Amino acid sequence: MRSEIIITLVGMGIVTYLTRVLFIVGMKGDRLPPFVVRWLSYVPVAVLTAIICPMIAAPEKHLNLTYDNPYLVAGILTTIIAVATKNLVITVIGGMGVILLLKFLVG
Amino acid sequence: MSGPTFDRRQIWKGFAESVPVMVSVFAFGLVYGVLAVQSGLTVLEAFLSCVIVLAGMSQFASLPLFAAGISPLTIIGTTFIINMRHLIMGASIAGKFTERGLFGKAAASYFLIDESFAMATAYAEKKKGGSVRDYMIGSGIAVFAAWNIGTILGALFGNFLGDPKEFGLDFAAAAAFIGLLVPQIRGKGDILVLLIAAALSVGAYLTFEGSWYILITGITASLAGALVTRDEK
């Protein structure tokens, strides 16, 4: 077990617990301003998009928006699977099938 | 005995009614476990991440960062940004707790998870009078158990798979994120944030070193969305 990983995990755990405990203990009947609620509600979409897009649009650290980029094509097809099924496990397995097929076809 | 008293029946009720949720959390854990070991974590580290962090989306997000050897501070910062949504959930559920004890609230906070929050909120809306706090703890224990068992089995299985690239597992993380993102798109505001985040993240990724593009985009794209839209949810 590596200490740097454990330190990182503990740090992740502390900041996560803080996000949970702060308002459960701190709120006394008052509510968050609607603007803040709206902002925070958009964070997961923003973060997930930020993780996905560079992975599929620039897999070799330069922009490649052509059909030669298997990650982009697979990303689009996987999105279609996700919209159709709304099921994480099917989406992951389907996505892996698509990328394997593309790599096999493209070589 | 001094200290807070928990209503065991309520905890059990929260647990029992969350069994259907456990199925999807378990499957989610399997995927996380496989990806965790493919990203370089050991089975034990993958298990510890579930106990210490217990927040699936941020644990998923940390995997490509662990794999790339990104600095702990960036991973911790990214985790905080992703989990800021707990603030809203905490503010909302706190108004439904009747107990005042600090320790009880602090213990319940550990079990504030997307799924247990949804279960406890639904329970509170039925106004049956039982403890919402203890119901959420029970539901959280169910999620905790399913998440850990799924992760351990997934991690053990992932160890048997060889080279990630041979099985398309290098793309599996992207597919998992797509599978997590799509159900979150519920309105025009979400689509707007998605488009802003797409352009911003790719631009920032190509411009800056390291993984700051996730943090930068996470904060600014969501803020831009909140400034442009009005309440729709």
Side-chain angles (χ1 to χ4, degrees):
Chain A
M1 206 151 57
R2 296 151 294 173
S3 58
E4 190 178 85
I5 303 270
I6 299 306
I7 290 167
T8 309
L9 291 177
V10 169
M12 290 168 70
I14 291 171
V15 296
T16 301
Y17 184 69
L18 282 179
T19 63
R20 290 179 163 135
V21 79
L22 271 177
F23 286 168
I24 286 192
V25 167
M27 291 294 270
K28 294 221 165 66
D30 38 26
R31 289 173 164 250
L32 289 172
F35 174 78
V36 175
V37 171
R38 211 161 64 236
W39 178 17
L40 294 178
S41 74
Y42 285 135
V43 168
V45 171
V47 170
L48 289 170
T49 307
I51 295 171
I52 296 164
C53 288
M55 270 174 140
I56 63 172
E60 325 256 329
K61 193 88 197 186
H62 58 82
L63 196 62
N64 182 357
L65 297 179
T66 68
Y67 60 80
D68 285 337
N69 175 358
Y71 290 88
L72 182 66
V73 177
I76 293 166
L77 293 175
T78 305
T79 305
I80 295 170
I81 298 173
V83 171
T85 66
K86 296 246 153 86
N87 181 306
L88 181 70
V89 176
I90 295 174
T91 303
V92 172
I93 293 171
M96 284 166 60
V98 168
I99 195 81
L100 283 177
L101 207 62
L102 284 171
K103 284 184 172 177
F104 180 71
L105 290 177
V106 179
Chain B
M1 219 178 93
S2 66
T5 47
F6 295 97
D7 182 345
R8 282 197 196 162
R9 275 194 198 165
Q10 260 325 85
I11 291 179
W12 175 243
K13 189 176 171 64
F15 183 95
E17 291 183 2
S18 300
V19 168
V21 178
M22 290 175 80
V23 178
S24 65
V25 173
F26 172 76
F28 190 22
L30 279 179
V31 176
Y32 173 74
V34 171
L35 292 180
V37 293
Q38 295 289 344
S39 304
L41 296 188
T42 63
V43 176
L44 181 61
E45 286 161 353
F47 164 67
L48 283 177
S49 73
C50 295
V51 176
I52 298 172
V53 186
L54 190 60
M57 210 184 284
S58 63
Q59 288 176 243
F60 262 102
S62 72
L63 293 180
L65 307 182
F66 274 123
I70 302 293
S71 79
L73 273 184
T74 312
I75 301 180
I76 294 167
T78 306
T79 303
F80 180 72
I81 299 297
I82 296 176
N83 289 330
M84 283 197 316
R85 70 183 188 289
H86 290 139
L87 293 170
I88 316 175
M89 290 153 53
S92 162
I93 204 72
K96 298 175 172 78
F97 289 177
T98 46
E99 300 89 347
R100 289 166 156 239
L102 210 60
F103 180 83
K105 282 183 178 176
S109 298
Y110 177 73
F111 293 106
L112 178 69
I113 311 163
D114 293 339
E115 288 83 2
S116 61
F117 168 76
M119 292 295 297
T121 302
Y123 178 77
E125 276 161 13
K126 286 184 206 153
K127 295 196 196 308
K128 286 190 174 170
S131 166
V132 175
R133 183 196 72 182
D134 295 347
Y135 184 92
M136 189 176 88
I137 291 175
S139 177
I141 292 171
V143 174
F144 174 91
W147 181 231
N148 276 285
I149 296 168
T151 296
I152 293 168
L153 292 179
L156 291 171
F157 178 65
N159 262 351
F160 279 104
L161 300 173
D163 179 16
K165 290 218 170 197
E166 247 176 76
F167 295 92
L169 274 166
D170 56 332
F171 181 74
F177 287 119
I178 292 170
L180 292 172
L181 172 64
V182 164
Q184 310 259 347
I185 307 297
R186 296 187 204 97
K188 280 186 215 151
D190 297 312
I191 294 172
L192 181 77
V193 171
L194 186 147
L195 294 175
I196 297 170
L200 202 62
S201 62
V202 174
Y205 175 67
L206 297 173
T207 314
F208 304 114
E209 287 293 313
S211 280
W212 290 102
Y213 65 93
I214 298 174
L215 274 172
I216 295 168
T217 307
I219 297 170
T220 49
S222 55
L223 185 60
L227 287 170
V228 172
T229 59
R230 287 168 185 281
D231 259 319
E232 58 172 72
K233 314 182 185 192

